[in-house]
Amino acid sequence: MKALKRCLIDYDMALLRAIAERRGVELTSNRQREAAAQLASALLDPASVAEAVDWLTPAEREALDALLTSGGRMQAPLFARRFGEIRAFGPGRLEREEPWRQPISPAEGLWYRGLIARAFDLLEDQPTEFVFVPTDLLPLLPAPPAGPPPFTVEPTPPPPIVRDDDRAAAQDLCTFLAYLRNQKVVPLRDRSLGKQDIARLGPRLLVAEDWAGAKHERDVPRLALLHHLARRLGLIRLTKRRLQPNPPPAKRWLRSSPGQQLASLQEAWRDDERWNELWRLPTLRCEDTGWRNDPRLARERVLGHLARCPVGEWLSLEAFIAAIKHADPDFQRPDGDYRSWYIRDAASGEYLMGFEHWDQVEGALIAHLISGPLRWLGVVALGYGDEGETQPHCFRITPQGAAFLGLTPPPPDPEPESVVIASDLRVHVPPATPLYDHFQLARISEWEASVPEFVYRLTPAALARALGENVSVKQVLAFLERISGGRVPSNVSVSLRGWAEKFGAVRLRRAVVLQVRKEITLQELRTLPQTAPYLIEIISPRAALVKE
C-alpha cells in the first residue's frame, strides 16, 4: 500500500471530503476505503500537486520548505510552534465549521490540502508524534531553496563606548601562570581558587571583575574560564596539593606565536564538553533532575550563525538573538523539548518550562555567549551606550574572531617590543612583549601594575627567590640585557650584583640532628650501606644532620 493511501485510510469521511474539496477532487464513493484510495490517486497526480503548491500562501510555502529541508518530517510540537496548530475536529463539527475554507495557520493550510500527515514514531525509545510528507508525495514536490534558511542581522551605527579585550585572555593566562609559579597556591576541594588567591591575583589581570566581593571562583566567571582552559590545555598541574605550571606544555604555549596562543584558547573553549554556560548563567537555576544539555552543540550552532554575519560591522545584539529565534530556535534542543529541562528563574523561583520562556533561557544564553566567552576570548568587541551600562547593545566580529570562525586568514602577529628598564628598578612591559619573556620577568621581579601597562620592580626578595631556584645573577643580567635591547642602567646591574653577594650569607633551616657518644660510631654509620643514605651533612665529629 502506498504511503499516502496508508495515511488517508485512517481518516473519517468528513475529513476525506474536506481535503477533496480543497484540492478540487470529486469523490464518487461514500465507502471510506474506496474514497481514500480514490483521493490518494488524485492527490498523487503531478499536475494536481503542482497546482496545489502554486496556491499556497507564502507562509504555507515556508512551512512546506522547512519540512522538506528537514528531510520530509519534523516533530509535531516543533512544527506547531513554528507554523501553528492543526485543530482537532470530530466529523460533525468539521462539517459544520468547515475549517478548510479558512485555515488558522500555515500548518492547517497544508493539512487540508493533503500535503502533510501526522503519525507516531519512536524517538530515543519514546513514542513521539511527527508531521511528515508521505514518501510517495515527496518526489512530486519542488525542492526547497538551496542553502540555510535566511539569516539577516541589520548593521547598527557605531556605539559611543567600545570594549575590546583583543588578546587580553592570553596575556592574563600568562599572568596566572606566573602567579602560580611564584606563590604557593593550594586550591579548594573542588579545585577552584580560594578567595585570598582571587583577591591577590585579580588586580593583576587586564579585565576587571568583582575581586573584592568574590567568595568563590564562580563569582569571577572570566577567571574561572581561564583557569578551566589552563587545565584543559594541560598548562597547570596539581602537585602535592599545590597548583603549579606544568613545565613542558606551559613552556611550549608561552613560546608559541600570539596568534597561536589565542587560537588555542578559543578552540579549547569551543570543543569543551565540561564548561556548561547554561548552568552558569546567574539569572537561571538549573536543577539536576536527570536532564542534560550539550554545551558544545549550543556553541556550535551560535558560532555557525555568527559566521553568517558581516565581519567588522556593528550588529544589534537584540536583532542577532531574534534572528536565531526565527531561523534556529532549537539550537540547543534538537528534540524541540521545552518541558523536561528543570530551570528556574533565579529571582522569582518560577519554572521556565515551555517555549514561551525562550527569551529567558535561550535568549539569555546567546547574550551570555556574546558578552562573556566570545568577548573574553577576543572573538567579538562589544558596544555600549555610555560608561554606566553593564549590558552591551551591539557587537562586532574582530579580526581574531573572523579567523576563528574561518571567515578570513589570521591577522598578522604584532611586532615584538622590548621592555624598558628604568633606573628606579622598575621594568615597563609593552603589550607586544613576547609572553615567554613576560613570564620569565615575573619570576625575577615583583608585580606593581597591569594597566595602562605592566610594571614590575626588581627587588632583593624577588632576586633571592630566583637565586634560590639555582638561577645565577649572571643569567638574570643576561636576560635583562636581551629583553631590553641591551639597555640596562648601570645602577640596576650594580644593585643586582650587590644583592646576589649577600644571598646565602646567613641561612636558617629546620633540621634533625643525630648525636653519638664516640666519633668512631659516626664513622661506622657513614660507611654502612643501611645508614649512609640517611646522613645529609656531618656538622661535627659526633653530630650529623639526618633526613627527618
Side-chain angles (χ1 to χ4, degrees):
M1 186 184 296
K2 291 185 177 181
L4 179 58
K5 182 180 177 181
R6 192 162 50 245
C7 296
L8 297 178
I9 207 82
D10 293 329
Y11 294 179
D12 56 52
M13 280 302 301
L15 181 54
L16 293 176
R17 291 191 188 99
I19 295 173
E21 180 180 327
R22 190 67 171 163
R23 288 288 292 272
V25 176
E26 185 177 348
L27 296 178
T28 59
S29 174
N30 287 322
R31 295 180 179 179
Q32 195 272 346
R33 294 184 69 86
E34 292 177 0
Q38 182 186 354
L39 183 58
S41 177
L43 296 185
L44 290 173
D45 177 68
S48 175
V49 173
E51 182 180 11
V53 171
D54 286 342
W55 278 99
L56 293 179
T57 68
E60 290 168 349
R61 183 61 187 269
E62 181 186 353
L64 181 62
D65 286 343
L67 200 57
L68 297 175
T69 302
S70 300
R73 79 171 194 167
M74 192 181 293
Q75 291 178 62
L78 172 68
F79 190 76
R81 196 178 64 245
R82 292 184 61 183
F83 304 111
E85 65 173 321
I86 301 172
R87 292 171 291 177
F89 287 92
R93 183 184 171 204
L94 185 70
E95 291 179 338
R96 286 194 309 274
E97 298 189 17
E98 300 181 334
W100 64 89
R101 297 182 184 276
Q102 289 185 320
I104 65 166
S105 68
E108 205 167 80
L110 296 178
W111 173 255
Y112 287 116
R113 291 187 189 277
L115 297 175
I116 61 174
R118 295 186 296 187
F120 280 87
D121 198 0
L122 290 179
L123 178 68
E124 297 181 354
D125 298 327
Q126 296 294 323
T128 304
E129 187 180 19
F130 286 88
V131 172
F132 63 97
V133 176
T135 53
D136 47 358
L137 182 57
L138 269 174
L140 305 177
L141 295 171
F151 186 85
T152 304
V153 183
E154 293 296 328
T156 191
I161 306 297
V162 175
R163 292 173 188 160
D164 185 352
D165 286 5
D166 195 31
R167 303 176 191 272
Q171 292 173 308
D172 282 346
L173 183 52
C174 173
T175 299
F176 181 40
L177 294 174
Y179 179 82
L180 296 181
R181 185 70 179 79
N182 293 337
Q183 307 294 328
K184 185 176 181 180
V185 177
V186 179
L188 304 177
R189 289 185 179 182
D190 62 358
R191 291 195 166 192
S192 62
L193 299 179
K195 63 180 182 179
Q196 285 189 335
D197 285 309
I198 293 173
R200 292 170 183 164
L201 171 62
R204 306 180 185 210
L205 304 181
L206 295 174
V207 178
E209 295 186 87
D210 183 14
W211 313 117
K215 297 180 180 179
H216 190 274
E217 223 178 65
R218 59 177 166 265
D219 299 324
V220 281
R222 180 178 180 273
L223 174 57
L225 178 59
L226 289 178
H227 184 183
H228 179 81
L229 295 179
R231 286 185 183 278
R232 178 172 172 82
L233 292 171
L235 305 183
I236 59 178
R237 64 183 181 183
L238 194 61
T239 305
K240 296 180 180 179
R241 297 193 65 237
R242 179 181 174 183
L243 201 58
Q244 293 180 299
N246 192 10
K251 186 175 182 179
R252 284 194 298 271
W253 184 81
L254 289 165
R255 282 188 175 277
S256 61
S257 70
Q260 291 169 335
Q261 289 162 351
L262 187 60
S264 69
L265 297 178
Q266 294 168 338
E267 292 163 7
W269 167 75
R270 179 195 63 200
D271 300 333
D272 192 273
E273 72 282 357
R274 299 185 65 184
W275 185 266
N276 196 332
E277 284 88 0
L278 181 66
W279 287 65
R280 290 174 174 270
L281 282 179
T283 57
L284 303 180
R285 292 291 179 268
C286 296
E287 295 184 355
D288 192 358
T289 56
W291 65 274
R292 289 290 180 268
N293 65 305
D294 184 352
R296 290 174 300 179
L297 173 65
R299 289 186 211 118
E300 177 188 334
R301 299 284 275 273
V302 172
L303 289 173
H305 294 303
L306 190 62
R308 297 164 68 183
C309 294
V311 175
E313 296 277 1
W314 284 103
L315 305 170
S316 163
L317 178 55
E318 183 180 357
F320 180 69
I321 294 171
I324 293 181
K325 186 176 184 180
H326 174 74
D328 187 18
D330 304 309
F331 68 94
Q332 71 166 345
R333 309 194 200 211
D335 58 359
D337 179 10
Y338 286 80
R339 305 300 303 175
S340 63
W341 290 15
Y342 284 78
I343 303 175
R344 290 180 185 266
D345 179 85
S348 68
E350 173 192 2
Y351 277 111
L352 304 177
M353 301 172 75
F355 188 74
E356 60 270 22
H357 296 294
W358 191 96
D359 293 310
Q360 293 166 274
V361 179
E362 274 71 15
L365 176 61
I366 297 169
H368 171 72
L369 290 173
I370 293 290
S371 61
L374 290 172
R375 173 205 167 182
W376 300 334
L377 296 173
V379 178
V380 300
L382 304 182
Y384 299 80
D386 58 58
E387 288 288 357
E389 284 189 0
T390 57
Q391 298 299 321
H393 63 79
C394 61
F395 67 92
R396 177 185 63 191
I397 299 173
T398 66
Q400 296 94 329
F404 170 59
L405 296 169
L407 303 176
T408 63
D413 289 325
E415 288 295 323
E417 296 180 83
S418 298
V419 305
V420 177
I421 304 175
S423 57
D424 63 359
L425 301 171
R426 285 184 171 86
V427 183
H428 300 263
V429 184
T433 301
L435 291 188
Y436 184 73
D437 292 343
H438 195 153
F439 177 81
Q440 296 296 344
L441 177 62
R443 290 183 60 190
I444 63 171
S445 58
E446 301 287 351
W447 171 84
E448 283 200 353
S450 297
V451 179
E453 64 177 355
F454 280 97
V455 179
Y456 292 87
R457 187 180 182 92
L458 299 167
T459 66
L463 181 63
R465 182 177 62 216
L467 297 178
E469 296 173 353
N470 298 318
V471 178
S472 69
V473 68
K474 183 178 179 181
Q475 291 173 311
V476 170
L477 287 170
F479 169 71
L480 294 176
E481 288 283 344
R482 180 179 66 79
I483 65 173
S484 67
R487 294 187 290 273
V488 179
S490 57
N491 71 301
V492 172
S493 300
V494 170
S495 295
L496 290 173
R497 289 193 179 95
W499 297 339
E501 289 176 1
K502 296 176 182 178
F503 177 75
V506 177
R507 183 170 54 161
L508 181 67
R509 58 176 169 163
R510 191 182 302 275
V512 176
V513 179
L514 171 70
Q515 292 180 310
V516 296
R517 290 183 180 179
K518 298 180 180 180
E519 295 180 16
I520 191 171
T521 304
L522 185 57
Q523 293 171 7
E524 290 175 354
L525 292 174
R526 293 178 64 187
T527 57
L528 288 172
Q530 299 96 322
T531 56
Y534 295 98
L535 303 182
I536 299 174
E537 181 182 339
I538 305 300
I539 56 177
S540 78
R542 291 187 296 162
L545 299 183
V546 297
K547 292 183 179 179
E548 188 173 353

